[in-house]
Amino acid sequence: MRTIEFTDTEFMIAQGARLIEDGKTIFVGWGIPQVVAMLAQKLYVPNVTQLFEFGAIGPQSVLPFVRGTMGGPQNTYRSLQWLDMNWAFSYSATGYMDYGMLGALQVDPYGNINSTHLGGTFASPMRRFAGSGGGNQVASHCWKTIIVIKHEGRRFVPKVDFLTSPGYLDGPGAREKAGLPRGTGPHRVVTSKALFGFDGETRKMTLLSVLRGISVEEVVKDMAFRPLLAPEIGEIPPPTDDELRVLREEIDPDRFIIRGEKMSATA
Amino acid sequence: MTIDRIRTEGEMEYRFTHPDDFRDHVRDRKGRSPVPKLVTEKEAVAAFVSDGDYIVYDFSSLTRGPQSLIREVIRQRKKELWIGAEFTLHESPLLVGAGCASRIDVGFLGYGNYIGQAVCDGRVKAYEWTNGGLALRILAGARGVPFLPTRDMLGSDNMKVSAAKTITDPYTGDPVCLVPALNPDVAFLHVHQADVFGNARIFGTNLFALEAALASFRVIVSAEEIVETDEFRKDPMRTTLPYFLVDAVVHAPFGAYPGAMPARYEIDLEHVDRLNAIRTDERMGRYLEENIYSVADHDEFLDRRVGAKRMRELRRRATIIEGYR
């Protein structure tokens, strides 16, 4: 029995990378989702086609990860096609994007994302953040949206302070009623402790599995809403040696992205 | 369209021009004759940017952004600008910090605490169009139509804090989002190559370079390199903008500094970290003084604040040239 030491961020990125399917397309948001897609492409899914919102189609980003930017030569290296934003969102709007992957400030039981402000009102917020970027389009158009978010209780709220990018809005059928493309919506919520899906009937967030060694109670106790629980809660292994090596040596040697709270679990 | 088809309407003010008014401007004010338009940043901004103007730019603060033009706008202390901000990591905080911008259509509101605090304090108004919505508004402006429909923004709070509308689509009967055309007063586009008439080339991805040039009343191109017109005629697939869209051409080597120009020079991360670390008005003031107000123009900025050695180093780091030429 061997103990693996890692950060909560490393676990979040690694378990996110394991979800991506080979031979599919994925619309990748700015920041952590870029790193998840890089790790996945390097270790698991050589034939995934990534798409960035400014029109990089099929990039094979150069490692190490260049933080802060997305549009530079490193991140758009050896793309299949270089275009612009109106064309990029055409690929998602017509249904060619299997997955979308986004970060979030807050998420609610229906997978609605807030990335605009916390507290106060829109006109007079307590704290103001970047806003949608292209997240609204990704969450609206892609067949399955994966949300990547740190497992901090205050981020899981009964109702988001501002609905930036749509999940299932206020329940079953709401997306279609609002005019969003049929059959789309949030698919998984990847956190630094657990993995959630969405119940097919109620569209509510459902705990699917937890990091090995963590109890269900530990995962749900500080969330501001109680998620549904899958009939059987799975166990997610910690980051593998390969995942940690690629993250630490190849993707982020300066540890700008992967630093975080220290954790351990048995391999 | 009858009014009862409108289901929801955003409440915020928005910039709008009737397509015929824009066409009149193009007929009467945009020259078709290929005349040399080479001017300095100072001349271009003085002639083509006025207080109260709506400005858009392409691409991002870290990649091929029109930074020398933005700095000149600040140097000339323009006021009450309204900016369409997509990948605006540094332009928004600098323009707001310098007292130049009072309204921002977002996009993506970067970067960090300074601009966020300015919104909280009510020093600048932000309206939420989303990146896709703003790009579509500019496309509508470029297509000469008053609006375009889209199947996003729907169901989100962005609908309320923009001027997007939901209507019943006359073809499907489903709800659909409409965004109004945007015809900015000025577009700033930093390009790899231009000729003196305004034909211009960008290598790599962009946000909406051609759409912004078509949709805007005035277009200022800044170029790393000035080339002969024949270069465009030899390889017309690579032309991003034809000359008649462009009002002024500025020769601006290192015009995207401290961001990168793909295949020409890399990001100056140290300088970018200094920008990202600005949290207070005092720090903002010091940055503006040192890098903008205390130098006469872009050449002097490069010469005295960046330096030949640093520029050589940033050029040396731009090792990826595949795909760019």
Side-chain angles (χ1 to χ4, degrees):
Chain A
M1 210 59 116
R2 192 162 58 94
T3 300
I4 306 264
E5 298 199 332
F6 51 93
T7 69
D8 57 348
T9 316
E10 286 171 333
F11 170 67
M12 180 170 74
I13 293 168
Q15 71 142 330
R18 298 170 199 162
L19 291 178
I20 297 175
E21 278 186 86
D22 205 17
K24 300 283 186 183
T25 51
I26 183 164
F27 206 129
V28 179
W30 181 80
I32 291 274
Q34 289 177 267
V35 179
V36 174
M38 270 181 185
L39 180 64
Q41 189 145 31
K42 177 85 191 177
L43 284 180
Y44 303 125
V45 286
N47 297 310
V48 77
T49 297
Q50 299 184 41
L51 189 144
F52 299 159
E53 63 179 309
F54 47 82
I57 287 87
Q60 298 182 332
S61 302
V62 172
L63 309 184
F65 175 59
V66 183
R67 67 196 158 95
T69 175
M70 209 173 177
Q74 297 86 354
N75 287 312
T76 61
Y77 189 58
R78 290 188 71 87
S79 296
L80 294 169
Q81 187 179 28
W82 280 339
L83 289 168
D84 58 30
M85 184 167 278
N86 282 308
W87 281 120
F89 289 131
S90 302
Y91 287 105
S92 54
T94 50
Y96 280 99
M97 289 293 115
D98 298 309
Y99 289 93
M101 187 165 44
L102 297 170
L105 208 56
Q106 275 184 333
V107 65
D108 74 11
Y110 293 114
N112 298 308
I113 292 172
N114 173 18
S115 43
T116 303
H117 76 87
L118 290 179
T121 61
F122 174 77
S124 183
M126 299 265 286
R127 292 185 71 195
R128 168 72 210 213
F129 296 85
S132 163
N136 179 277
Q137 279 70 41
V138 172
S140 297
H141 300 168
C142 296
W143 291 108
K144 296 174 176 178
T145 300
I146 297 172
I147 301 163
V148 184
I149 185 168
K150 276 271 177 114
H151 200 98
E152 297 165 343
R154 61 189 168 87
R155 292 176 178 269
F156 293 82
V157 291
K159 192 173 185 304
V160 287
D161 294 352
F162 185 96
L163 201 165
T164 310
S165 303
Y168 292 107
L169 301 177
D170 59 3
R175 283 177 71 93
E176 289 77 5
K177 201 167 150 237
L180 291 166
R182 185 169 64 208
T184 56
H187 171 63
R188 291 287 184 267
V189 180
V190 172
T191 84
S192 44
K193 285 180 182 165
L195 177 68
F196 300 84
F198 291 87
D199 179 62
E201 266 175 44
T202 64
R203 296 302 197 194
K204 284 191 173 166
M205 202 185 290
T206 306
L207 182 62
L208 301 178
S209 39
V210 300
L211 170 63
R212 179 179 294 158
I214 290 188
S215 71
V216 169
E217 198 42 45
E218 268 179 87
V219 166
V220 301
K221 70 169 192 284
D222 56 353
M223 292 170 69
F225 64 86
R226 195 150 178 104
L228 303 180
L229 303 182
E232 269 184 60
I233 305 290
E235 180 192 83
I236 315 168
T240 65
D241 292 338
D242 270 351
E243 288 165 347
L244 289 175
R245 178 183 52 75
V246 171
L247 276 175
R248 292 171 185 176
E249 293 172 23
E250 296 184 38
I251 294 180
D252 188 23
D254 294 330
R255 314 260 167 126
F256 274 111
I257 306 293
I258 59 177
R259 61 189 166 193
E261 193 186 322
K262 286 196 167 47
M263 304 179 94
S264 63
T266 54
Chain B
M1 187 196 310
T2 54
I3 198 79
D4 65 322
R5 282 208 173 119
I6 297 176
R7 296 172 174 229
T8 71
E9 290 186 273
E11 297 155 2
M12 298 297 171
E13 61 177 335
Y14 63 107
R15 173 60 193 265
F16 187 72
T17 305
H18 192 289
D20 276 339
D21 293 337
F22 187 75
R23 287 176 53 88
D24 287 350
H25 171 84
V26 169
R27 181 189 58 202
D28 300 337
R29 306 289 296 276
K30 297 286 278 195
R32 313 292 197 275
S33 167
V35 294
K37 297 164 189 162
L38 202 56
V39 292
T40 64
E41 276 101 354
K42 200 171 282 300
E43 291 165 333
V45 169
F48 295 111
V49 183
S50 302
D51 290 352
D53 273 356
Y54 193 113
I55 296 180
V56 292
Y57 40 83
D58 174 289
F59 170 41
S60 101
S61 311
L62 299 179
T63 307
R64 200 178 47 72
Q67 308 306 348
S68 67
L69 290 170
I70 298 284
R71 283 189 289 265
E72 185 56 35
V73 165
I74 293 171
R75 199 175 285 117
Q76 293 190 21
R77 298 182 194 263
K78 300 294 181 187
K79 294 276 180 279
E80 297 293 323
L81 300 176
W82 190 343
I83 53 179
E86 293 235 339
F87 291 4
T88 180
L89 309 180
H90 304 132
E91 295 85 350
S92 297
L94 290 174
L95 288 167
V96 170
C100 300
S102 53
R103 286 175 286 194
I104 305 180
D105 284 337
V106 182
F108 181 95
L109 183 76
Y111 195 86
N113 294 1
Y114 185 88
I115 188 69
Q117 194 58 47
V119 173
C120 293
D121 294 345
R123 289 167 59 193
V124 59
K125 286 185 186 146
Y127 306 128
E128 305 301 306
W129 288 97
T130 77
N131 276 358
L134 205 46
L136 196 65
R137 289 190 63 193
I138 295 170
L139 178 61
R143 290 286 285 113
V145 294
F147 64 86
L148 280 171
T150 186
R151 297 180 77 202
D152 42 58
M153 292 181 72
L154 294 157
S156 79
D157 287 339
N158 303 297
M159 296 298 294
K160 296 176 204 150
V161 293
S162 62
K165 296 179 197 282
T166 314
I167 65 149
T168 302
D169 165 23
Y171 294 99
T172 62
D174 296 337
V176 71
C177 172
L178 302 186
V179 294
L182 175 58
N183 293 102
D185 291 301
V186 192
F188 291 161
L189 299 165
H190 188 61
V191 305
H192 285 81
Q193 298 174 331
D195 68 11
V196 297
F197 308 107
N199 292 302
R201 268 177 181 167
I202 287 169
F203 301 142
T205 56
N206 68 102
L207 294 179
F208 35 56
L210 177 58
E211 295 98 306
L214 273 159
S216 296
F217 284 82
R218 299 178 293 279
V219 177
I220 304 177
V221 160
S222 59
E224 289 290 328
E225 188 187 353
I226 303 296
V227 299
E228 294 298 321
T229 306
D230 202 43
E231 292 294 314
F232 295 90
R233 297 201 179 276
K234 281 192 289 196
D235 196 3
M237 275 293 283
R238 307 284 292 200
T239 304
T240 311
L241 312 175
Y243 75 93
F244 53 82
L245 300 179
V246 176
D247 296 279
V249 179
V250 177
H251 184 208
F254 274 87
Y257 179 92
M261 192 70 184
R264 297 295 186 271
Y265 47 88
E266 260 304 317
I267 301 173
D268 187 342
L269 275 174
E270 278 171 44
H271 192 106
V272 165
D273 281 343
R274 275 216 301 287
L275 275 165
N276 291 344
I278 295 174
R279 299 265 192 282
T280 62
D281 285 331
E282 197 252 322
R283 283 282 287 273
M284 176 58 81
R286 256 193 291 155
Y287 179 88
L288 294 172
E289 182 57 35
E290 182 185 332
N291 294 286
I292 299 176
Y293 298 136
S294 69
V295 288
D297 54 23
H298 182 54
D299 283 346
E300 190 177 317
F301 169 71
L302 292 181
D303 191 33
R304 297 182 47 188
R305 298 289 181 267
V306 183
K309 190 176 161 207
R310 188 93 192 127
M311 287 190 278
R312 264 200 313 278
E313 171 63 17
L314 295 173
R315 279 200 193 282
R316 195 186 57 76
R317 284 188 207 160
T319 52
I320 297 175
I321 52 169
E322 192 178 2
Y324 307 94
R325 55 176 172 143

